[in-house]
Structure formats: C-alpha cells, structure tokens
Amino acid sequence: MRVAFICADSGIPVFGCKGASVHIQEVLRALLRQGAKIVLFARRIATPPDDLQGIKLVSLDPLDPPAVDNALTRVETALAVNSQLEQALQAEGPFDLVYERYSLWSFAGLAYAHRQGWRTVLEVNAPLIEEQKRYRELVAEKKAVAVLKKLLASATVVIAVSPGVKKWLTDFAGSAERIHIIANGVDPLRFRPPIAPPQPETSWGAITIGFVGTLKAWHDVETLLDAFVLLQLQRPDVWLLIVGDGPQRQKLQKTVQARAISGVAFAGAVSPATVPDWLNRIDIAVAPYPQLADFYFSPLKIYEYMAAQLPVVATRVGHLAEVIDHGVTGMLVEPGDATALCVLLRQLVDQPLLRQRLGVAARRFVTEHHSWDKIVSETLRLAQMPVGSAS
C-alpha cells in the first residue's frame, strides 16, 4: 500500500515537539505498522526520529513571510504553491491512498488524487477558519471557505477528531455522510506505568501535580494555579510541575512570582520522546480548560495521561465527559472553579489507592479504545483500504 501523507501547514514542524507534530508522527508509525510505504509531503520536515527514517521525504516550499508584511500577499502565495504540490504528487505517484491533514490554503493534493481515482482521507483537527478569526487574523475568508469545500468534495472519507469539529464541517459539506468522528489516540507501549505498590491511605506527602502541553489561551492553567494555592494551605507538601512552552508561559511565570507561589516548577518545551519520563514524575495529571461553548479539542494530553496510568482531573466541557467516566477513569470538574478543583486534588492527594484505581482503569480504557493502531485501522477501513495486522 503506497500512501502519500500531506502536511502543507508551514506552522507545523512534522518532526517537532508540538502536539500536532506528535499526532502526525504517531499516525505515520501506525501506517508503517500496517505495512504502508509512505511518501511524506510537508513544508517543515527537519530530521525524522530513527524509527521514521525509512519514510521518503518531499519538501514543499516553506512559505516564509514575504518581504512586504501583507497578510493578503501571504494568502495569495500559499494558494499559488498548490501547483507545486500537485506536481510533486504526480512525480511520486501513483498512490493507493492520499492522506492530508487539513490546513487553510492547501487543496491541490486531494483534488489531484480524486481526479486520478485514488482513495483520499482528509483529517480535520480543528475549525481552522474560526481559529484564525478568533486568535490571529483571517483575510480572504471566502477563499478559505472555497478551499475547505474543495477538500471536502475530494475526500473519500473525512475524519473529524471530535463532535465539535464534525458539527463545524457539516455546515460546509451540507451532509455528514462521509464525516466520521475518530478521536486522537496514544501508543500504550510508549507510556508504561511505573511499577509501585499502593501506598497507605494516609500517605499524602511529596505529591506532584502535573500539566503537560502547549501553554496557550485555551489551556486554563491559571485556574490550576489558583487551585494549587488553595491546596497548599491544606497540604503544604505538594508540588506543581508544568511541562511545556507557549505564549502563556511568561504570563504564568509572572503570576507565580508576583503571588510568591512556592513549589511550582516550569520544565519548558521537551522532546516528545521524553514525555513518558516526565509523566512518570507526576502523581496526578490535570487537563484544565475554560468554559468554551464550541469546544472541539481532542486532547492528546488526556490520552497520554491515561496511558501512563495516572489519575486525571479534566474540565467538564464539550465532549470530555464521554472520554472520562467520572469516578471510574478519572475526575471531572466544572470550568473555572478553582475551589472545586482544589477539593478533587485534595481527595486524590489523600487517597493513593483511589489514584491507583483510577489510573489502572484509565490505562485499560485507552489501550482498548484509543491506540493509534486502532485509530488508523478504522480510518483505512472507512477509506476501504486493505488493513493489515497491526503489531
């Protein structure tokens, strides 16, 4: 099975440390385990890890900002290089499957594959048009919509990572017939839980609470800090470890300094290969989000927390109540409620056996339902591709 994998988003370093980068790498690994021969087309590639060295790499123009800092000029440049992607596919083809991660201005890959009669998959991880309007600047919105509609018309199957993403796509597609929800996943073999006997129920000393992820506005680490301050008043021997980098990091560090919050450590950006080791330093993992009416995320961090056999506390927002069974595979708390979050954290700090029970159930859940092998196998099945036996 020859597979073309396309990531035309110049903001994603395919072999980098971002969540999007990790997602791409894991899908590539799962495709390889299915026996696929992969050609990767991307704008930011760099050096692949050892286990992905066998993939053929095709570099697309990087789309660096033009000398004149004009948003419309950048859009026109991004649209113009679609011809390069089509030519690259034509040169490397034929392919049994063309798999593209949705980006705002790339359409020629799937359109060309569709004309050739090849199977195509469009993976949509976020409503990028809405994100661009909300967090950045969107010019040429009509052209962005036209690109998305071309992609949807060219896709054999469309994968939405959450119900929120599917709902958004349906408005453009006019029908949900070819749009399927397949959430993000995890490689359980990468996240092996530490082997340790349960501690006595009265042991709560030296507990580390952790957050791992990109520090962006939609991660409500501020509320986690507020809850941690309240928790320290009752359980002073606790730590908070924040692993990751992003635009909110400086603001969070200033908050910690201004409020003289002790016991908080910022690890900064880390390599995806080291994330399992960082999770092994954590006793309780938190995935906080603010109140978002149109929540559409499928957080990699939650699945990785669960695979590491950690007790997870997440915000009850969007579809996360379908991911975490409260009191069984984790705990849920209302958004923005630092007091309620403190209560749940204190309960987990005080009860090691509860932490262990939640962690074991969480790992069992993601192993059975959210491994990357299962996700890619289901995607190939929907695209009506031969599915091998995943290792």
Side-chain angles (χ1 to χ4, degrees):
M1 180 172 60
R2 297 196 77 233
V3 176
F5 190 102
I6 302 170
C7 177
D9 190 334
S10 57
I12 300 177
V14 170
F15 299 121
C17 299
K18 286 185 172 183
S21 308
V22 174
H23 184 285
I24 291 170
Q25 292 168 42
E26 294 293 1
V27 171
L28 292 174
R29 289 185 178 102
L31 284 168
L32 288 174
R33 288 193 291 269
Q34 293 286 351
K37 305 296 184 183
I38 303 173
V39 181
L40 171 66
F41 301 80
R43 303 207 182 279
R44 293 179 63 189
I45 296 179
T47 304
D50 290 345
D51 62 336
L52 297 178
Q53 291 280 348
I55 293 175
K56 184 172 183 178
L57 308 178
V58 177
S59 294
L60 305 173
D61 286 343
L63 292 181
D64 292 329
V68 178
D69 187 17
N70 180 284
L72 186 57
T73 301
R74 291 197 297 270
V75 169
E76 294 297 342
T77 301
L79 289 171
V81 298
N82 270 282
S83 58
Q84 182 205 19
L85 175 56
E86 178 174 333
Q87 291 165 10
L89 271 179
Q90 185 175 10
E92 296 291 338
F95 291 100
D96 301 297
L97 176 70
V98 176
Y99 187 121
E100 179 159 8
R101 182 185 174 101
Y102 168 53
S103 58
L104 273 175
W105 310 113
S106 173
F107 63 86
L110 286 198
Y112 175 76
H114 179 68
R115 293 196 303 271
Q116 300 305 306
W118 303 340
R119 294 287 175 173
T120 54
V121 170
L122 176 66
E123 175 193 283
V124 184
N125 299 85
L128 294 185
I129 294 173
E130 302 308 315
E131 275 194 358
Q132 192 76 6
K133 286 194 292 187
R134 182 180 303 177
Y135 299 109
R136 305 176 192 93
E137 176 191 14
L138 178 64
V139 297
E141 181 175 351
K142 290 183 179 179
K143 292 184 178 180
V145 170
V147 166
L148 178 56
K149 288 185 175 181
K150 285 181 182 178
L151 287 167
L152 292 170
S154 301
T156 307
V157 63
V158 180
I159 302 301
V161 299
S162 71
V165 171
K166 179 178 180 177
K167 180 177 181 297
W168 179 74
L169 287 171
T170 302
D171 293 338
F172 293 96
S175 166
E177 183 181 358
R178 290 177 295 113
I179 305 173
H180 303 269
I181 300 171
I182 302 183
N184 286 333
V186 71
D187 179 358
L189 296 179
R190 285 187 61 226
F191 296 87
R192 295 187 182 276
I195 300 173
Q199 303 172 33
E201 282 291 334
T202 55
S203 172
W204 53 264
I207 296 296
T208 299
I209 297 161
F211 168 90
V212 179
T214 305
L215 299 175
K216 291 191 175 180
W218 52 76
H219 290 139
D220 190 13
V221 181
E222 292 88 348
T223 296
L224 174 57
L225 279 176
D226 291 340
F228 181 71
V229 170
L230 295 174
L231 179 63
Q232 278 193 317
L233 297 174
Q234 306 163 58
R235 302 290 184 268
D237 193 13
V238 292
W239 291 81
L240 176 61
L241 176 60
I242 299 174
V243 181
D245 205 350
Q248 296 293 307
R249 180 179 174 180
Q250 188 174 14
K251 177 183 176 183
L252 292 168
Q253 288 178 316
K254 286 182 177 179
T255 298
V256 170
Q257 184 177 11
R259 297 175 62 180
I261 306 173
S262 62
V264 179
F266 288 84
V270 302
S271 164
T274 67
V275 169
D277 294 331
W278 284 100
L279 290 180
N280 281 338
R281 305 181 191 190
I282 293 171
D283 299 290
I284 302 165
V286 186
Y289 291 92
Q291 179 64 61
L292 297 169
D294 54 351
F295 186 89
Y296 55 81
F297 303 100
S298 179
L300 282 173
K301 65 173 57 59
I302 290 181
Y303 299 113
E304 292 181 348
Y305 291 166
M306 297 173 90
Q309 202 164 297
L310 289 170
V312 181
V313 181
T315 306
R316 189 187 295 273
V317 62
H319 66 286
L320 293 189
E322 300 171 17
V323 178
I324 294 176
D325 187 353
H326 181 71
V328 179
T329 58
M331 308 289 264
L332 295 167
V333 65
E334 297 306 314
D337 192 336
T339 301
L341 178 55
C342 173
V343 169
L344 287 184
L345 292 175
R346 186 183 64 207
Q347 183 181 359
L348 290 169
V349 165
D350 289 347
Q351 299 183 44
L353 293 178
L354 174 61
R355 296 200 301 269
Q356 185 190 51
R357 176 171 61 79
L358 293 175
V360 168
R363 179 171 169 82
R364 183 184 305 117
F365 171 74
V366 296
T367 299
E368 293 177 356
H369 301 286
H370 287 280
S371 73
W372 285 117
D373 286 330
K374 289 181 180 294
I375 287 167
V376 169
S377 291
E378 177 62 9
T379 301
L380 294 177
R381 185 191 69 80
L382 291 169
Q384 300 177 20
M385 300 300 299
V387 178
S389 57
S391 58

